[in-house]
Amino acid sequence: MRLPIICAEAGNCHEGSLDAALKLIDEAKKAGADLVKFQAGTAAGFARVPEDIERYKKYELGRVGYQCLIGHGKKVGIPVFFSVWSPEFADLYELEWKKIPSRQCANEWIEKYDSLKTFISIPNDMPKEEVKGLKIKQGIPLHCVPSYPAIDSDVKRFLWLKNYFHEKNLDIGYSDHTIGIEAAVELVSLGAVAIEKHFTLSHDFGPLRDHKHAATPDELSRLVERVKNNW
């Protein structure tokens, strides 16, 4: 896999449609992405507060759905993996690629799932002393600004993380929540070895907030072309 690694973060941008999720895999492959990531869980796992559980039910694809996505990725030639929000789907962390999202950025998760193919999102508001306490030995830390959309990429924080983890012989990447692709292109030029970019079929595909700052297939294709050719 040629650096930088480009992960199409499809998340829940399927809006509960398995057909849409399958199409997201097809379009990510066509755009030249290396990986596709979804979110796996129940409504209770997705929701940050109990009041949100009902509206998150539509995003559940269930075990059969998640296995269908994995199988389709193998069929078309692009690995599919997940961030896992409910314990009943913890076995999905047995896949080759893994993701520890910013809400789970803690040693409890890192010590279980750290590997050469584990992305670990580190929120930019995590105090530096807490970052220094993370027991990442092999994974790929991802600089993350957890706003939807993020106003900017917080370059200063990225550079601090890059320098800190380089001392531990670890490269870092960037989980991009900004609108457009310029922030991702800039951080690759500053040393990011992986980009996780939210990915949608269309900016107006549905009510989920992620569609607005996600890359469309055309935008993802342009991102891949710009960063792979300039590495």
Side-chain angles (χ1 to χ4, degrees), residues 56-170:
Y56 273 108
K57 286 183 178 178
K58 68 173 289 186
Y59 300 114
E60 296 178 348
L61 293 180
R63 182 164 299 279
V64 172
Y66 299 137
Q67 291 300 325
C68 183
L69 299 181
I70 294 167
H72 190 67
K74 290 178 179 178
K75 179 181 177 181
V76 302
I78 186 168
V80 170
F81 68 113
F82 303 85
S83 50
V84 178
W85 296 101
S86 302
E88 49 265 64
F89 297 112
D91 59 296
L92 293 173
Y93 275 135
E94 296 174 11
L95 294 168
E96 181 180 17
W97 289 90
K98 305 166 180 50
K99 168 68 184 294
I100 297 174
S102 57
R103 264 200 274 171
Q104 296 171 354
C105 185
N107 287 328
E108 172 190 359
W109 298 92
I110 292 168
E111 291 177 335
K112 284 183 181 178
Y113 302 118
D114 188 22
S115 76
L116 292 172
K117 295 184 177 180
T118 300
F119 295 112
I120 304 166
S121 277
I122 301 178
N124 72 323
D125 58 356
M126 176 177 278
K128 291 181 179 179
E129 288 306 310
E130 289 187 26
V131 174
K132 292 177 181 179
L134 297 175
K135 298 179 180 180
I136 303 172
K137 297 179 179 179
Q138 302 180 80
I140 304 171
L142 297 180
H143 168 54
C144 175
V145 181
S147 301
Y148 304 87
I151 302 302
D152 61 52
S153 60
D154 194 351
V155 170
K156 184 177 179 180
R157 169 75 169 201
F158 171 82
L159 293 174
W160 179 83
L161 287 172
K162 185 181 81 165
N163 292 335
Y164 172 71
F165 282 109
H166 275 189
E167 292 177 0
K168 297 182 172 297
N169 296 314
L170 293 172

Side-chain angles (χ1 to χ4, degrees), residues 13-33:
C13 284
H14 49 73
E15 294 283 349
S17 165
L18 183 57
D19 286 342
L22 294 171
K23 188 172 182 180
L24 282 161
I25 295 171
D26 292 337
E27 292 295 333
K29 173 65 176 178
K30 190 185 304 182

Side-chain angles (χ1 to χ4, degrees), residues 182-231:
E182 295 306 319
V185 172
E186 178 184 22
L187 291 200
V188 167
S189 74
L190 294 174
V193 301
I195 295 293
E196 178 190 60
K197 180 65 182 176
H198 279 257
F199 183 53
T200 182
L201 297 174
S202 168
H203 291 305
D204 57 2
F205 186 80
L208 186 71
R209 66 182 180 182
D210 293 351
H211 297 296
K212 299 303 180 184
H213 63 267
T216 62
D218 285 346
E219 290 169 328
L220 185 64
S221 180
R222 291 200 301 273
L223 173 62
V224 170
E225 181 178 359
R226 289 180 66 182
V227 301
K228 294 281 192 182
N229 290 341
N230 292 326
W231 181 255

